[in-house]
Amino acid sequence: MTAAHPPHRPEILFPLFGELTKLPGIGPKSADLLERMQITRPRDLCFTLPNAVIDRTRRATITGAPLPGVVTVEVTVGLHQPPQRKGRPYRIFVTDSATEFELVFFHAREDWLRRQLPSGERRLISGRVEIFDGRAQMAHPDYILSVDEAETLPAFEPVYPLTQGLTQKAISKAAAAAVALAPELSEWIDPTLLAREGWPAWRDAVVSAHEPQDTAALSLQDKARRRLAYDEVFVHQVTLALARATARRRKGRATVGTGALQEKVRAALPYSATGAQDRAVADITADMAATRRMNRLLQGDVGSGKTLVALLAMLAAVEAGGQAALMAPTEILARQHHEALAPLAADAGVRVALLTGRDKGADRARKLSALAAGQVDILLGTHALFQGDVLFHDLRLAIVDEQHRFGVRQRMDLSAKGALVDLLVMTATPIPRSLALSQYGDMDLSVLDEKPPGRKPVDTALISAERLDAVVARLRAAVAAGRRAYWVCPLVEESEVISATAAEARFKTLRAALGDAAVGMVHGQMPPAEKDAAMADFVAGRTQVLVATTVIEVGVNVPEASIMVIEGAEGFGLAQLHQLRGRVGRGAEKSTCLLMYSSPLTPGAQARLEIMRETEDGFRIAEEDLRLRGAGDVLGVAQSGLPRFRIADLERQADLMATAQNDARAYLSHDPDLSAPRGKAIRTALYLMEADRAIRLLSVG
């Protein structure tokens, strides 16, 4: 949306959405350079804040100023000394109230310099002063002003981010002109919050952020900046709250289970569910029993027992006479869900089927016709479940497992599959609360924060790659004692082929050390049937060591495996290390995780490995990961649909996200179509921030 105005954009905002070239000093060439910085309208310049400030407060003399540094001082111009030879500098001697120093110019024209700095006259100059050969020099002053013009120089000058070809002067001038276009707008922030935080009005905040009076004005705590950051996250949360409200207005179906099948499964379990599991099941079944559609996220740490919660939820759908579907991201995981759930479901007399891309021809046709006839109660599979020819008899509940790469749009597509289907998204990736709110703010949240009984802590040790032989020797002893181990090969960014080659090389060396029969291998380049066979051998104990790439990161469940070796651990992110470690510690044996690293470690890698050694709490690990790497990396921005904020800092202003969510949901509950005075102001904010999706949701309302 360039200068053309979308329907109903308030007229008061038109100047901010005009053409950049109307601003002073911005021609077509500068406009192209600004476009590289995602600046295409005056509004974008208003939201591009200075990232530094130059102190140009006047001093009487350069004596005592911290040098090298920028100094602003009034001087009397003395002798001009043109260069004797080509390539030498032009020098002008000047005197302030206490000392003499030199102005130095390279390749300058003498007539211009004599006009700017006539001997005997007073001038205000500002620029960087350095000591050179024992003498103070200012090379090419930033400002040379007559005494009458001195008032025009700001005491603190903002410094903007640049792209090659743009100058500070050009962007400062354009930003000042853009800020001058910012209108006074009605307030959209909750008045109590505004008063409590002491935030300025929107226009005052923009002006203040572009005119920093000291370096403190650049901090995240600065009231003007904090207000502008809040505006961004608030508009994002209004968008999510509108999506949630729209989803809730869609008629759902009351799916009320009898509890009979759930009771049968619980009775057959060798353990009882945790309090967190019981709470999650209660949340989910209450949502299913309501007449609006469920849109819930179940977040649980590695091994917190999401699979049982999913099964109990699906049984509620079956008890009510309907069907349920569970979609996993990979075939290995879908098969594993089938192996885990089918026996439990069979105890309750529930019919479970598995559908993956591997089902072809008559076999696939048979499954599809049974599904359409209602002879399948629970369907497990990969995204193949949601292809056009897969028709359910009466789908009540769709569960998407491990989809932290599943954005809001895909969730909306998915829930369109069945008439009035309830949707549950599960993830074993603990996401810090601020990110969960920004990523899944349109959903209701249940968290599994207890480990099921019997899960033992995993001993984690750091070990240098130089001690590889010692690790192999320990592994040989463990294998002789009948233990099972994973050996994860280093992560090779962007190349599954190289990762596979590394895995094959390690597979050969371990077979040589431990015996051919003891070692299996699985990596992403293998044909699916070979992968399954290798996994089956490891599960059954026919092989005792499984060499793998990160294909085993999510969900592989072999309770007998009690050793995890991660080679090149310094190359993995915290979330990945945590997921990999979660593959052990599932059975009766004491488990160990060895993080092998190559020296020297970067400070970031050192910090990651230390956190892994200190804690197994996935949520604490996720918060640390966010602090160390930033939001984009934690979720993988490209896939995550994470908002790209210009001002708000998701890592360090996490508190704003929760406040914004509470405020947005509370406000929309009593003014759902934003028609009251504050609601109209919020509409203006949506147009200002180009929250197109929210505007569409309102217009279809």
Side-chain angles (χ1 to χ4, degrees):
M1 299 194 304
T2 46
H5 303 297
H8 315 307
R9 177 183 287 151
E11 206 169 313
I12 195 166
L13 296 179
F14 286 4
L16 289 177
F17 286 85
E19 289 171 25
L20 275 183
T21 46
K22 300 257 167 65
L23 297 176
I26 301 293
K29 195 172 161 214
S30 308
D32 287 347
L33 292 170
L34 285 167
E35 196 170 333
R36 286 187 205 164
M37 297 168 66
Q38 272 84 50
I39 297 172
T40 56
R41 280 97 20 123
R43 149 209 187 277
D44 306 333
L45 270 170
C46 288
F47 293 138
T48 303
L49 302 187
N51 53 10
V53 62
I54 298 172
D55 182 348
R56 295 202 188 272
T57 1
R58 286 168 69 163
R59 299 176 66 96
T61 171
I62 65 166
T63 308
L67 299 182
V70 171
V71 182
T72 305
V73 65
E74 196 177 312
V75 295
T76 304
V77 183
L79 185 70
H80 280 239
Q81 193 180 70
Q84 301 300 306
R85 300 198 304 280
K86 203 172 177 212
R88 306 289 295 165
Y90 190 116
R91 297 177 192 277
I92 301 174
F93 295 89
V94 296
T95 313
D96 63 23
S97 68
T99 187
E100 184 184 65
F101 60 100
E102 299 171 12
L103 305 184
V104 178
F105 298 87
F106 290 89
H107 316 299
R109 296 211 334 264
E110 184 172 351
D111 57 343
W112 182 82
L113 285 174
R114 290 198 183 272
R115 274 201 311 279
Q116 292 292 312
L117 291 153
S119 297
E121 297 272 330
R122 310 240 345 126
R123 289 287 182 268
L124 183 78
I125 56 169
S126 183
R128 186 175 168 80
V129 176
E130 300 191 18
I131 304 294
F132 196 71
D133 278 347
R135 292 184 64 82
Q137 295 186 346
M138 184 187 289
H140 294 273
D142 303 323
Y143 292 91
I144 301 170
L145 302 171
S146 68
V147 178
D148 303 341
E149 298 168 314
E151 291 311 309
T152 64
L153 184 66
F156 293 93
E157 185 178 37
V159 178
Y160 290 91
L162 292 177
T163 185
Q164 206 170 357
L166 267 182
T167 64
Q168 268 309 331
K169 269 195 176 129
I171 198 167
S172 294
K173 196 171 172 186
V179 169
L181 297 174
E184 303 272 356
L185 297 174
S186 302
E187 188 53 76
W188 51 77
I189 293 181
D190 173 55
T192 330
L193 174 66
L194 200 68
R196 189 183 79 216
E197 296 290 337
W199 287 339
W202 179 76
R203 185 179 191 281
D204 297 341
V206 172
V207 170
S208 168
H210 283 272
E211 295 177 0
Q213 293 307 301
D214 50 29
T215 47
L218 302 173
S219 94
L220 292 175
Q221 297 315 313
D222 174 69
K223 285 187 170 19
R225 284 187 176 234
R226 203 163 151 79
R227 185 238 143 103
L228 295 173
Y230 183 76
D231 290 337
E232 280 189 305
V233 297
F234 177 65
V235 161
H236 176 62
Q237 285 300 334
V238 168
T239 307
L240 291 173
L242 280 166
R244 176 174 179 259
T246 309
R248 287 180 152 216
R249 277 203 301 276
R250 287 193 200 118
K251 281 291 293 166
R253 288 163 77 191
T255 296
V256 185
T258 59
L261 297 175
Q262 293 189 16
E263 279 317 306
K264 281 187 180 170
V265 166
R266 284 177 183 266
L269 290 174
Y271 53 85
S272 52
T274 63
Q277 285 173 314
D278 286 337
R279 283 192 297 278
V281 172
D283 287 343
I284 293 163
T285 49
D287 278 1
M288 290 170 69
T291 51
R292 56 164 196 261
R293 291 170 75 167
M294 172 167 75
N295 189 24
R296 184 170 285 278
L297 173 70
L298 175 65
Q299 200 185 353
D301 202 349
V302 175
S304 56
K306 288 181 304 301
T307 314
L308 176 63
V309 173
L311 175 62
L312 295 173
M314 291 192 288
L315 291 176
V318 179
E319 288 166 358
Q323 293 168 300
L326 169 59
M327 177 178 114
T330 65
E331 206 158 306
I332 285 184
L333 254 181
R335 289 186 180 283
Q336 215 169 290
H337 277 313
H338 188 247
E339 283 156 23
L341 296 178
L344 290 171
D347 288 340
V350 171
R351 299 160 297 185
V352 177
L354 175 69
L355 184 70
T356 69
R358 227 185 285 182
D359 291 305
K360 301 275 188 287
D363 197 25
R364 180 177 164 88
R366 196 185 70 251
K367 285 185 182 177
L368 292 185
S369 87
L371 185 70
Q375 291 154 8
V376 170
D377 300 313
I378 292 177
L379 183 64
L380 309 172
T382 54
H383 53 287
L385 296 191
F386 296 101
Q387 287 166 350
D389 61 342
V390 180
L391 301 173
F392 291 83
H393 176 64
D394 179 14
L395 178 64
R396 298 289 189 100
L397 171 65
I399 301 183
V400 181
D401 185 25
E402 209 34 79
Q403 284 299 52
H404 46 287
R405 298 194 172 82
F406 209 69
V408 179
R409 193 173 298 110
Q410 289 97 320
R411 292 202 287 275
M412 289 178 166
D413 293 347
L414 177 64
S415 53
K417 184 70 188 176
L420 320 174
V421 176
D422 285 320
L423 177 67
L424 178 68
V425 174
M426 303 198 298
T427 175
T429 309
I431 303 170
R433 181 165 159 73
S434 59
L435 287 196
L437 292 179
S438 61
Q439 174 72 338
Y440 298 108
D442 57 321
M443 308 187 81
D444 297 302
L445 185 63
S446 291
V447 177
L448 295 179
D449 48 11
E450 296 172 41
K451 288 242 163 106
R455 288 288 307 232
K456 295 194 168 61
V458 177
D459 282 340
T460 302
L462 310 186
I463 192 159
S464 161
E466 290 162 8
R467 297 183 52 204
L468 176 70
D469 293 347
V471 174
V472 173
R474 274 175 70 179
L475 195 58
R476 190 184 294 116
V479 166
R483 294 177 70 185
R484 274 182 243 173
Y486 294 99
W487 187 295
V488 178
C489 292
L491 185 66
V492 181
E493 275 306 316
E494 309 308 328
S495 174
E496 185 54 54
V497 180
I498 304 174
S499 294
T501 314
E504 280 162 4
R506 179 58 67 221
F507 173 62
K508 284 183 185 135
T509 59
L510 288 177
R511 284 184 83 168
L514 308 173
D516 288 3
V519 186
M521 172 174 64
V522 55
H523 62 68
Q525 295 291 295
M526 289 162 72
E530 279 184 36
K531 260 194 280 195
D532 285 355
M535 282 305 304
D537 284 344
F538 184 58
V539 170
R542 289 187 289 275
T543 54
Q544 288 174 271
V545 177
L546 184 65
V547 174
T549 55
T550 52
V551 290
I552 64 150
E553 177 187 339
V554 169
V556 173
N557 188 26
V558 181
E560 296 77 10
S562 60
I563 298 169
M564 168 65 71
V565 179
I566 304 174
E567 205 177 336
E570 73 279 5
F572 290 88
L574 263 177
Q576 250 178 333
L577 289 171
H578 180 61
Q579 287 281 358
L580 288 166
R581 176 170 63 184
R583 300 302 114 224
V584 295
R586 293 169 165 248
E589 284 210 60
K590 185 87 185 95
S591 292
T592 310
C593 175
L594 293 181
L595 302 175
M596 287 179 70
Y597 63 88
S598 299
S599 299
L601 285 174
T602 65
Q606 176 92 35
R608 284 198 298 279
L609 298 181
E610 292 291 349
I611 290 158
M612 287 297 295
R613 190 162 62 182
E614 275 170 39
T615 181
E616 280 190 78
D617 175 346
F619 287 92
R620 178 167 165 226
I621 286 172
E623 295 287 355
E624 292 290 343
D625 202 14
L626 176 62
R627 201 175 54 74
L628 290 170
R629 288 197 302 155
D633 285 339
V634 170
L635 284 177
V637 163
Q639 302 108 333
S640 70
L642 191 71
R644 287 180 166 80
F645 295 127
R646 280 180 184 266
I647 297 170
D649 179 323
L650 264 185
E651 291 87 79
R652 293 177 296 166
Q653 294 180 314
D655 59 317
L656 292 179
M657 195 58 84
T659 309
Q661 187 190 58
N662 293 338
D663 189 12
R665 285 186 176 186
Y667 186 77
L668 281 166
S669 67
H670 67 259
D671 182 17
D673 51 1
L674 299 181
S675 54
R678 184 181 165 206
K680 288 184 175 142
I682 291 174
R683 277 177 182 259
T684 304
L686 295 175
Y687 280 106
L688 175 66
M689 302 286 179
E690 295 189 293
D692 305 31
R693 206 172 100 240
I695 292 160
R696 278 202 305 281
L697 287 168
L698 271 172
S699 52
V700 298

